[in-house]
Amino acid sequence: MAFPYPTVYYVGVDVGTASVRAALVSRAGLLNSTAEEPISIWEPQADHYVQSSSEIWEKCCTVVKVVTQSVERSQVRGIGFDATCSLVVLDQSFQPVPVSQDGDRQRNVVMWMDHRAEEQAARITNTGHGVLSRVGGVMSPEMQPPKLLWLKENLKESCWKEAAHFFDLPDFLSWKATGSLTRSLCTLVCKWTYCPPEGWDASFWTSIGLEDLLENDFSKIGSVSCPPGSPLGDGLTQEAAADLGLDPGTAVGASLIDAHAGGLGVIGADVKGFHLPCEDQPITSRMAMICGTSTCHMAISEQPLFVPGVWGPCLSAMVPGVWLNEGGQSATGRLIDHVMKGHAAYTQLQEQARQSYLNSHLSSMADSRSAVDLLGSSLHVWPDFHGNRSPLADPTLKGMLGTLHILEAMKEAGHDIRTLFLCGGLSKNSLFVQIHANATGLPVVLPDQMEAVLIGAAVLGACASQDYSSIQEAMEKMAKVGKVVQPDNELQR
């Protein structure tokens, strides 16, 4: 395929929990430049976490301008967005609607980690409706139906009656960029109970008291859907292009939830020559782990597999045409932070902690006679401090069975997982990575470009630009193996 410039690029934009990041990525998947801006989080009351969609978009524009300043606009062929699965509320004129009792209109995003709707989630679970079979039988307060129900029951006048558009944050960003109201199957299937090819189940929304969402062919929550990476509208609108510093018409791919973008950025890598058990095996023999504030465990299958307590199977939710199961732990990086900050010596250890103090301290405790893993052999901690996401699917549990438990549940349901692919902030910690290899007995692949989430977002833009024929082709060419960590054989005996 001929290109007008010797080098073409794609922009990946990642809206995480506390910051917005962007990367300029080459056609070969190499990071050219990155930029990051913080975003505000407000906690108006316990378990309520809110953000501003206006601020988030402004920060997206800032970081995109920074990463693209060194290239010609016409070299940027496509852009893709990923974000946390937070809920954005807009009115008929696409203006923000407040989601808290304080009525602040700019604070119109109910964050993914907001657990205000635990009681609504439990009620939805108790309906036993058929759509719940695709969320492990249990509705999580991190999904959108309970949050929508909470808004209707608690903010009927100030929010519910004003609201005309409920977006998952990734879909808000692609709408903001293109003006297209088409939603990504990633968000709708994973967080809203949408089920292709049938679509929305009207009986579900009616059974939980949200029958008003059926109006105008479900226009408030999305009438049209498409697989991730599909080109949206006519690309960037004039207004969005001016905001972002790019050319109008630049291709925009249908978005992904941030964890799924991480999966896309690692799971399809070409592994030839690394002697991995997944070589010459279908992509279904791999599991992607996106390790950050929380951890998501992504496994795909050719046929739908139902895993108790694990989300899915979701068709085309990450890789178009295949089914996704998503396990997870609600608190990992955040849990480590919480335990450290609660320790009496935290203040005096902050400086050392910046120098990987925790890893070196644990190594010195273990000394040369045993592995660090064995330090906890007689210590049992239940680290689901923010509820168990899977496979127990109990948001009330406080205190981790963890990755091995999730992996075993997936294998029992029919997954054949032979290799782990890790990315995210915690994957940069060598001890964290080695312990996962040891605990599971599986090799762990780390990506060549550590910002796998940004690579995944850029893959969406590459796919939308049609420079690649499919997401599968784009991720095979743009995702690369960096390092392989094998299990410690001493611990496997």
Side-chain angles (χ1 to χ4, degrees):
M1 186 179 292
F3 293 100
Y5 284 87
T7 310
V8 298
Y9 296 99
Y10 313 98
V11 174
V13 180
D14 164 49
V15 179
T17 299
S19 68
V20 174
R21 302 182 303 150
L24 186 67
V25 180
S26 75
R27 192 163 190 267
L30 300 175
L31 287 173
N32 179 284
S33 57
T34 61
E36 183 169 6
E37 285 281 325
I39 49 178
S40 306
I41 300 173
W42 294 279
E43 188 178 2
Q45 59 193 84
D47 272 343
H48 290 222
Y49 296 97
V50 300
Q51 292 182 311
S52 162
S53 66
S54 302
E55 182 197 40
I56 289 169
W57 178 251
E58 285 167 16
K59 296 296 178 74
C60 288
C61 297
T62 300
V63 292
V64 171
K65 284 177 177 172
V66 170
V67 299
T68 56
Q69 61 190 0
S70 63
V71 298
E72 296 290 329
R73 290 182 174 193
S74 50
Q75 286 178 267
V76 180
R77 303 261 308 156
I79 182 169
F81 296 90
D82 74 75
T84 63
C85 49
S86 300
L87 176 67
V88 182
V89 187
L90 303 179
D91 66 15
Q92 196 69 49
S93 305
F94 295 96
Q95 296 304 303
V97 175
V99 293
S100 299
Q101 272 94 344
D102 59 20
D104 188 328
R105 294 191 73 83
Q106 287 307 309
R107 301 179 185 183
N108 68 316
V109 180
V110 183
M111 289 185 69
W112 67 272
M113 61 185 188
D114 183 305
H115 275 207
R116 69 178 72 179
E118 281 192 352
E119 192 260 325
Q120 285 77 11
R123 270 194 277 141
I124 293 171
T125 296
N126 288 338
T127 66
H129 195 280
V131 299
L132 298 174
S133 66
R134 296 186 186 274
V135 292
V138 178
M139 177 57 65
S140 166
E142 294 177 15
M143 293 184 175
Q144 308 303 9
K147 290 175 176 172
L148 293 166
L149 186 56
W150 188 96
L151 292 173
K152 180 176 181 178
E153 292 179 346
N154 292 273
L155 297 175
K156 191 158 190 175
E157 298 301 322
S158 61
C159 176
W160 189 255
K161 286 185 175 178
E162 294 290 315
H165 303 278
F166 296 104
F167 287 101
D168 218 277
L169 183 54
D171 289 322
F172 165 81
L173 295 172
S174 57
W175 164 76
K176 195 74 175 161
T178 65
S180 171
L181 290 169
T182 299
R183 315 297 177 99
S184 170
L185 282 173
C186 177
T187 57
L188 292 191
V189 173
C190 294
K191 304 299 175 185
W192 297 72
T193 73
Y194 190 86
C195 186
E198 297 85 4
W200 296 113
D201 188 323
S203 68
F204 167 70
W205 296 104
T206 302
S207 73
I208 66 170
L210 292 179
E211 60 284 342
D212 22 357
L213 294 178
L214 276 58
E215 293 170 11
N216 301 317
D217 190 27
F218 296 92
S219 64
K220 289 184 179 179
I221 56 175
S223 302
V224 184
S225 63
C226 67
S230 304
L232 292 175
D234 297 318
L236 289 179
T237 63
Q238 294 277 355
E239 184 182 358
D243 288 346
L244 294 162
L246 296 173
D247 281 342
T250 300
V252 179
S255 56
L256 283 170
I257 298 166
D258 54 350
H260 299 62
L264 210 61
V266 293
I267 203 169
D270 183 350
V271 299
K272 284 186 179 63
F274 287 92
H275 310 294
L276 288 163
C278 64
E279 188 174 343
D280 299 323
Q281 295 293 320
I283 196 172
T284 51
S285 64
R286 311 175 182 192
M287 183 165 81
M289 284 180 55
I290 299 84
C291 316
T293 306
S294 60
T295 295
C296 295
H297 303 73
M298 307 285 192
I300 54 179
S301 57
E302 293 291 341
Q303 300 298 324
L305 298 175
F306 289 85
V307 187
V310 169
W311 298 340
C314 303
L315 181 62
S316 299
M318 183 171 74
V319 179
V322 294
W323 299 84
L324 173 73
N325 282 114
E326 179 189 352
Q329 294 154 251
S330 291
T332 43
R334 179 164 280 232
L335 176 57
I336 294 170
D337 289 345
H338 173 75
V339 172
M340 291 285 286
K341 287 175 181 175
H343 197 281
Y346 177 69
T347 306
Q348 67 195 74
L349 294 178
Q350 274 183 297
E351 192 52 47
Q352 289 113 306
R354 292 193 187 100
Q355 301 154 17
S356 296
Y357 171 78
L358 186 59
N359 283 15
S360 58
H361 182 61
L362 289 170
S363 296
S364 67
M365 287 174 67
D367 65 44
S368 59
R369 290 172 298 177
S370 64
V372 168
D373 310 54
L374 300 178
L375 287 172
S377 59
S378 60
L379 178 68
H380 299 276
V381 179
W382 186 281
D384 285 318
F385 282 45
H386 201 53
N388 178 279
R389 191 182 291 170
S390 58
L392 302 177
D394 185 346
T396 65
L397 284 179
K398 307 297 180 191
M400 149 183 129
L401 292 181
T403 295
L404 183 59
H405 193 196
I406 293 166
L407 194 61
E408 286 173 345
M410 287 184 169
K411 283 185 173 180
E412 200 170 312
H415 282 282
D416 177 23
I417 295 162
R418 305 184 185 193
T419 310
L420 302 181
F421 288 69
L422 261 63
C423 66
L426 279 174
S427 70
K428 298 171 188 175
N429 186 303
S430 57
L431 178 58
F432 181 88
V433 173
Q434 186 66 60
I435 287 174
H436 275 78
N438 295 349
T440 61
L442 298 177
V444 173
V445 174
L446 298 174
D448 175 51
Q449 305 288 301
M450 287 306 288
E451 302 295 353
V453 174
L454 288 167
I455 298 289
V459 163
L460 299 173
C463 187
S465 74
Q466 299 181 330
D467 291 349
Y468 287 112
S469 63
S470 65
I471 281 224
Q472 286 90 331
E473 184 193 3
M475 64 183 183
E476 188 177 337
K477 295 291 196 315
M478 296 173 71
K480 291 179 174 54
V481 176
K483 181 182 178 184
V484 175
V485 177
Q486 295 288 349
D488 186 332
N489 290 327
E490 288 297 312
L491 293 167
Q492 299 306 310
R493 289 176 185 165

mmCIF file of all heavy atoms in Angstrom, residues 140 217 221 246 279 397 441:
data_model
loop_
_atom_site.group_PDB
_atom_site.id
_atom_site.type_symbol
_atom_site.label_atom_id
_atom_site.label_comp_id
_atom_site.label_asym_id
_atom_site.label_seq_id
_atom_site.Cartn_x
_atom_site.Cartn_y
_atom_site.Cartn_z
ATOM 1 N N SER A 140 -22.755 -6.132 38.569
ATOM 2 C CA SER A 140 -21.770 -5.374 39.354
ATOM 3 C C SER A 140 -22.189 -3.917 39.476
ATOM 4 O O SER A 140 -22.720 -3.334 38.529
ATOM 5 C CB SER A 140 -20.399 -5.446 38.676
ATOM 6 O OG SER A 140 -19.523 -4.479 39.217
ATOM 7 N N ASP A 217 -36.413 3.878 20.090
ATOM 8 C CA ASP A 217 -35.455 2.819 19.765
ATOM 9 C C ASP A 217 -34.178 2.940 20.600
ATOM 10 O O ASP A 217 -33.070 2.882 20.078
ATOM 11 C CB ASP A 217 -35.126 2.835 18.266
ATOM 12 C CG ASP A 217 -34.316 1.615 17.829
ATOM 13 O OD1 ASP A 217 -34.440 0.556 18.486
ATOM 14 O OD2 ASP A 217 -33.544 1.744 16.867
ATOM 15 N N ILE A 221 -29.511 5.467 25.090
ATOM 16 C CA ILE A 221 -28.358 4.624 25.420
ATOM 17 C C ILE A 221 -27.702 4.015 24.189
ATOM 18 O O ILE A 221 -26.705 3.311 24.311
ATOM 19 C CB ILE A 221 -28.728 3.509 26.434
ATOM 20 C CG1 ILE A 221 -29.880 2.650 25.928
ATOM 21 C CG2 ILE A 221 -29.074 4.121 27.788
ATOM 22 C CD1 ILE A 221 -30.205 1.463 26.834
ATOM 23 N N LEU A 246 -5.663 18.575 14.405
ATOM 24 C CA LEU A 246 -5.519 17.597 13.323
ATOM 25 C C LEU A 246 -6.396 17.994 12.137
ATOM 26 O O LEU A 246 -7.198 18.929 12.226
ATOM 27 C CB LEU A 246 -5.911 16.197 13.824
ATOM 28 C CG LEU A 246 -5.042 15.605 14.938
ATOM 29 C CD1 LEU A 246 -5.647 14.298 15.440
ATOM 30 C CD2 LEU A 246 -3.610 15.373 14.454
ATOM 31 N N GLU A 279 2.850 -20.421 20.689
ATOM 32 C CA GLU A 279 3.297 -20.296 19.289
ATOM 33 C C GLU A 279 2.622 -21.368 18.439
ATOM 34 O O GLU A 279 2.456 -22.513 18.864
ATOM 35 C CB GLU A 279 4.828 -20.435 19.203
ATOM 36 C CG GLU A 279 5.370 -20.134 17.815
ATOM 37 C CD GLU A 279 6.898 -20.129 17.757
ATOM 38 O OE1 GLU A 279 7.548 -20.030 18.825
ATOM 39 O OE2 GLU A 279 7.432 -20.214 16.645
ATOM 40 N N LEU A 397 -17.443 -8.411 49.513
ATOM 41 C CA LEU A 397 -16.290 -9.025 50.170
ATOM 42 C C LEU A 397 -15.218 -7.986 50.453
ATOM 43 O O LEU A 397 -14.853 -7.214 49.577
ATOM 44 C CB LEU A 397 -15.691 -10.126 49.303
ATOM 45 C CG LEU A 397 -16.431 -11.457 49.246
ATOM 46 C CD1 LEU A 397 -15.704 -12.403 48.313
ATOM 47 C CD2 LEU A 397 -16.545 -12.066 50.628
ATOM 48 N N GLY A 441 2.352 -20.927 36.964
ATOM 49 C CA GLY A 441 3.143 -21.903 36.231
ATOM 50 C C GLY A 441 3.184 -21.642 34.734
ATOM 51 O O GLY A 441 3.549 -22.524 33.948
#
